[in-house]
Amino acid sequence: MVIDGHNDLVLRRWRGEPTSHMDLEAGRAAGFAGGFFALFVPSPPPAEIPEIPYAMPLDDPIPYEEAARIAAELYDTLCDLPVNRAESVGDFREGDIAAIVHLEGADALAPDLSDLEAWYERGLRSVGIVWSRPNAFAEGVPFAFPGSPDTGPGLTDAGRALVAACNRLGVLVDLSHLNEAGFWDVARISEAPLVATHSNAHALCASSRNLTDRQLDAVRGSGGVVGVNFAVNFLREDGDQVPDTPIGEILRHVDYLADRMGIDHVAFGSDFDGAVVPDAVGGVGGFPAITDALAEAGYDEESVAKVAHGNWLRVLGETWR
Ligand code: ZN
């Protein structure tokens, strides 16, 4: 059974685009039991893939009313998918696919949080405070390679209130896309395990989207988890967007994260349908190729199961009410 930290199938469906990676039947056959399904209000995509080195400007904020309107449509799109809703760890079952309603960026939440409980009632169980742009709560990291995640100010007052409200409701707070100052603000105030749903080790790939060793230590100290992102440009040492990237690049990050934090803090966060992933993985049907590679590399059955689903189940169980 595999539980995954991030996919963008909902955005593809909302745009009327075919999926590249999230063939749900192939996933079901490959043991994919669901995970975080992002509701992402998109910024305009960059005109072209940047040449390395690059330091893209921070995307413009999206006004709350506009973000809320689009997020409502994204939510309806998710509800139309042939998947169950995950609101407790028992909702993940072999042979079924369960979707965690995840806001990738809290832009769609009212800055006074007056609609957060309504979102919770509709199934929201995970909030990424930001995508890579500013909002009322915090500021995301602009995409840069090589680049540091330490790029701007930390949480606003509204951001701190959001973390407290999520703790109270039992909504997971996702740190992927957050800048480093914001990360440390959350680390200081959050009562829940720290989670980065789809980020990698900065020591291996110096993208601004990846986590420094100090950040990894904080995740470990909180009992949290990092979902390894399969985006080749967040895996490769050269930061290049080359689909012909071996599965070994995913293993390299699993190895590093497990060495640094322990196997209890490493999971998957594929970024399927939102990134260029290794051809050798191909999509959600490719999880067995990764777990097989882990076994061949010497990970015992228990360790593979922790990475594939056990760590997500533990952290979700400790976070949700
Ligand atoms: Zn993302």
Side-chain angles (χ1 to χ4, degrees):
M1 180 161 99
V2 171
I3 296 173
D4 182 59
H6 192 89
N7 76 71
D8 283 304
L9 175 61
V10 172
L11 182 65
R12 293 291 182 99
R13 288 288 175 92
W14 177 75
R15 283 174 160 163
E17 294 172 0
T19 173
S20 297
H21 305 136
M22 289 298 295
D23 176 335
L24 293 175
E25 281 316 305
R28 212 184 299 270
F32 174 64
F36 297 72
F37 281 58
L39 307 184
F40 169 56
V41 177
S43 288
E48 54 193 28
I49 295 172
E51 296 273 329
I52 292 165
Y54 58 85
M56 320 249 288
L58 205 57
D59 275 296
D60 290 332
I62 296 182
Y64 159 62
E65 290 78 9
E66 184 186 345
R69 180 179 57 77
I70 295 171
E73 294 179 12
L74 292 163
Y75 175 79
D76 289 343
T77 304
L78 171 55
C79 291
D80 286 341
L81 294 176
V83 298
N84 302 322
R85 188 69 52 73
E87 297 179 354
S88 74
V89 294
D91 293 330
F92 292 102
R93 287 181 297 264
E94 209 92 41
D96 276 338
I97 296 176
I100 301 167
V101 181
H102 167 71
L103 271 179
E104 185 175 26
D107 320 55
L109 297 177
D112 66 2
L113 305 178
S114 52
D115 53 4
L116 179 61
E117 292 194 21
W119 268 102
Y120 183 86
E121 293 303 321
R122 295 158 79 194
L124 182 73
R125 290 295 179 274
S126 175
V127 173
I129 301 176
V130 285
W131 187 70
S132 289
R133 63 192 172 219
N135 64 23
F137 305 99
E139 191 173 296
V141 277
F143 296 97
F145 187 93
S148 160
D150 189 10
T151 57
L155 300 188
T156 64
D157 289 344
R160 282 186 286 274
L162 174 61
V163 173
C166 285
N167 284 171
R168 179 171 52 77
L169 285 169
V171 171
L172 185 143
V173 173
D174 178 21
L175 300 164
S176 286
H177 288 279
L178 187 58
N179 66 21
E180 197 172 346
F183 177 100
W184 292 116
D185 283 343
V186 176
R188 257 189 299 280
I189 61 178
S190 181
E191 293 162 4
L194 300 177
V195 171
T197 56
H198 59 307
S199 292
N200 292 336
H202 193 273
L204 300 186
C205 170
S207 165
S208 57
R209 273 281 284 105
N210 288 339
L211 299 167
T212 66
D213 286 346
R214 279 188 64 220
Q215 290 178 297
L216 298 177
D217 294 346
V219 170
R220 177 194 55 197
S222 75
V225 73
V226 174
V228 173
N229 191 319
F230 302 167
V232 293
N233 50 314
F234 301 151
L235 289 169
R236 297 169 60 99
E237 189 175 10
D238 62 11
D240 227 338
Q241 245 177 42
V242 187
D244 184 16
T245 290
I247 285 179
E249 285 295 300
I250 294 172
L251 260 63
R252 207 165 67 91
H253 283 265
V254 171
D255 286 347
Y256 188 89
L257 296 173
D259 280 351
R260 186 84 199 182
M261 299 189 293
I263 197 72
D264 289 342
H265 307 286
V266 189
F268 294 139
S270 68
D271 220 341
F272 283 146
D273 275 348
V276 175
V277 306
D279 283 338
V281 176
V284 69
F287 277 118
I290 302 170
T291 50
D292 288 352
L294 287 170
E296 274 165 36
Y299 287 86
D300 62 22
E301 208 173 313
E302 187 190 353
S303 298
V304 174
K306 283 179 174 179
V307 174
H309 63 263
N311 293 333
W312 275 130
L313 290 178
R314 183 193 78 244
V315 166
L316 293 170
E318 287 175 9
T319 304
W320 289 348
R321 304 242 180 276

